[in-house]
Amino acid sequence: MVLTHDDANDVLQNTFLKAWKSIGDFQGKSRLYTWLYRIAVNESLDLLRRNASDKKSADADLSVANRLMADEYFDGDRSQALLQEAIATLPDVQRTVFTMRYYDEVKYSEMSKILNTSEGALKASYHIAVKKITDYVKKNQ
């Protein structure tokens, strides 16, 4: 969901800090994995919202693809950067569902527990996201 190595490190650190501080609140109604994943998703979305509202950063005007290509840890080519740029144009829910399904191969049943929504809604969000990504890539190749 996040694009740069530094952002991923921040999300990971914040996820484990929140989990550590609130482990006593974990009720065991879901698997620990599900609980941690939900914290990570929330942290990712929070970071994306903060970055979107932070127009003061020096590279705010750079496209996602350009930022990725400038990241020393990004080892992809232009087409992978274009895919990430297309994903970045999606609304938060569609981006989350697409990332969880496409990259993490999370089953819809597990995703439903993590995101607290129906499997049907998740499937619809995923297919709409795929259509938008396909259209974006075709338009910008």
Side-chain angles (χ1 to χ4, degrees):
M1 290 179 60
V2 296
L3 297 172
T4 66
H5 188 74
D6 289 338
D7 287 347
N9 282 340
D10 288 346
V11 167
L12 180 64
Q13 180 178 356
N14 290 340
T15 297
F16 283 114
L17 282 173
K18 282 193 175 179
W20 177 259
K21 289 178 181 177
S22 59
I23 192 69
D25 297 333
F26 178 63
Q27 299 174 354
K29 292 180 181 177
S30 64
R31 295 183 332 179
L32 184 62
Y33 163 84
T34 304
W35 183 67
L36 286 171
Y37 206 109
R38 182 63 200 173
I39 295 171
V41 166
N42 287 339
E43 284 299 312
S44 298
L45 292 173
D46 287 347
L47 180 76
L48 292 171
R49 283 186 209 107
R50 279 193 307 269
N51 287 348
S53 65
D54 183 17
K55 300 297 181 190
K56 297 176 186 173
S57 66
D59 62 353
D61 294 332
L62 293 177
S63 73
V64 171
N66 289 339
R67 284 188 288 160
L68 279 173
M69 298 301 274
D71 186 343
E72 65 180 288
Y73 295 104
F74 181 71
D75 61 357
D77 59 11
R78 173 72 182 130
S79 61
Q80 290 172 326
L82 183 60
L83 172 62
Q84 292 303 316
E85 193 169 282
I87 293 168
T89 65
L90 297 172
D92 287 346
V93 172
Q94 290 174 5
R95 183 181 325 135
T96 301
V97 171
F98 181 83
T99 301
M100 291 174 76
R101 184 75 181 142
Y102 184 79
Y103 289 110
D104 300 335
E105 299 177 356
V106 176
K107 295 178 182 176
Y108 288 114
S109 58
E110 187 69 24
M111 208 184 307
S112 176
K113 294 175 190 170
I114 293 168
L115 299 177
N116 197 26
T117 191
S118 72
E119 290 183 40
L122 295 169
K123 289 176 183 178
S125 290
Y126 179 78
H127 290 290
I128 292 168
V130 169
K131 174 76 171 114
K132 287 180 179 179
I133 290 168
T134 302
D135 292 347
Y136 185 91
V137 170
K138 284 180 183 177
K139 180 181 167 188
N140 291 289
Q141 278 184 327

